Amino acid sequence: MAITRRSFLKGVAGSSAATLIGPSLLASATASAAETDGTWKVSGSHWGAFRARVWGGKVQEIKPLEVDKYPTDMLNGIKGIIYSPSRVRYPMVRLDWLKKHKYAPETRGNNRFVRVTWDEALDLFYRELERVQKDYGPYALHTGQTGWRQTGQMHSCTNHMMRAMGLHGYSVKKVGDYSTGAGQTILPYVLGSTEVYAQGTSWNLS
């Protein structure tokens, strides 16, 4: 491949536009002497926009944004998501695979994970990406992940993954979404509509 790991990562960083988001709620920070109750920061989630009171580098309180007329109680779970003990906070790799760099199906489920640095994780990922693309071709790489996003296209994991893979080469992706299944592919041939969420016909069907 002509593209290098360095240019691959630079392209991923550029496509994500992370600098537009601003300081993360997870970033460590030192509270100034003037801060007695913390600082309120505006952020967003799949369940709506909110304000977070950050003090001592940690989120202390969550409350809905004032302009939200119908806030959901699910916003109360944001703090729990950030600091949940079950959250994977660092890159983790199976120990046996890290030693041998080879998949061993007999150890699956019995092999513990170990923490690696971000540089190590990116090197491992890029090397495997190169190997699969070279040995098996683009049909062996699937970029059809579907998942919820946080606030708009900026936090769409699927879009960022497909952009990153597009910088490297071709891959297999999915068509449609999990809400409509094959409807987005089939209905244009049945009703003539190219958008499954649009009104399929103007005929009176009552």
Side-chain angles (χ1 to χ4, degrees), residues 2-204:
I3 188 171
T4 64
R5 173 186 177 275
R6 182 177 181 84
S7 58
F8 175 77
L9 295 178
K10 287 173 64 178
V12 174
S15 66
S16 64
T19 55
L20 298 179
I21 302 176
S24 169
L25 295 178
L26 302 178
S28 60
T30 302
S32 65
E35 289 182 338
T36 56
D37 296 324
T39 303
W40 287 96
K41 298 180 180 291
V42 177
S43 189
S45 73
H46 191 81
W47 305 278
F50 61 88
R51 292 186 184 275
R53 182 169 64 87
V54 181
W55 185 79
K58 289 189 176 182
V59 176
Q60 305 294 333
E61 183 182 354
I62 297 287
K63 66 179 182 180
L65 204 62
E66 305 80 51
V67 295
D68 189 347
K69 296 181 179 179
Y70 308 101
T72 173
D73 289 338
M74 288 190 288
L75 284 175
N76 296 326
I78 295 292
K79 183 179 176 181
I81 293 175
I82 296 175
Y83 301 113
S84 171
S86 62
R87 182 181 180 193
V88 180
R89 298 170 180 262
Y90 316 101
M92 306 290 286
V93 181
R94 290 184 184 275
L95 179 60
D96 191 62
W97 189 90
L98 188 61
K99 291 180 178 179
K100 302 177 181 178
H101 290 178
K102 183 179 180 181
Y103 172 65
E106 65 275 7
T107 64
R108 187 171 183 83
N110 298 319
N111 198 255
R112 68 186 180 95
F113 286 86
V114 294
R115 179 179 174 180
V116 296
T117 66
W118 283 104
D119 280 341
E120 289 175 316
L122 289 170
D123 282 336
L124 292 171
F125 169 75
Y126 188 77
R127 187 181 63 210
E128 284 299 292
L129 184 63
E130 287 276 283
R131 181 185 67 82
V132 174
Q133 185 78 276
K134 180 180 179 180
D135 294 348
Y136 303 101
Y139 296 105
L141 297 171
H142 181 235
T143 54
Q145 180 267 352
T146 296
W148 280 10
R149 63 194 64 176
Q150 290 293 80
T151 48
Q153 298 297 325
M154 185 66 70
H155 293 145
S156 174
C157 300
T158 302
N159 286 354
H160 293 319
M161 177 182 65
M162 293 180 66
R163 288 175 180 176
M165 295 297 292
L167 290 171
H168 183 269
Y170 295 104
S171 63
V172 177
K173 67 176 184 178
K174 69 176 181 61
V175 176
D177 55 47
Y178 59 83
S179 296
T180 60
Q184 289 173 317
T185 303
I186 297 174
L187 286 184
Y189 296 95
V190 179
L191 299 178
S193 171
T194 58
E195 174 53 69
V196 71
Y197 293 109
Q199 182 177 355
T201 177
S202 60
W203 299 342
N204 184 2

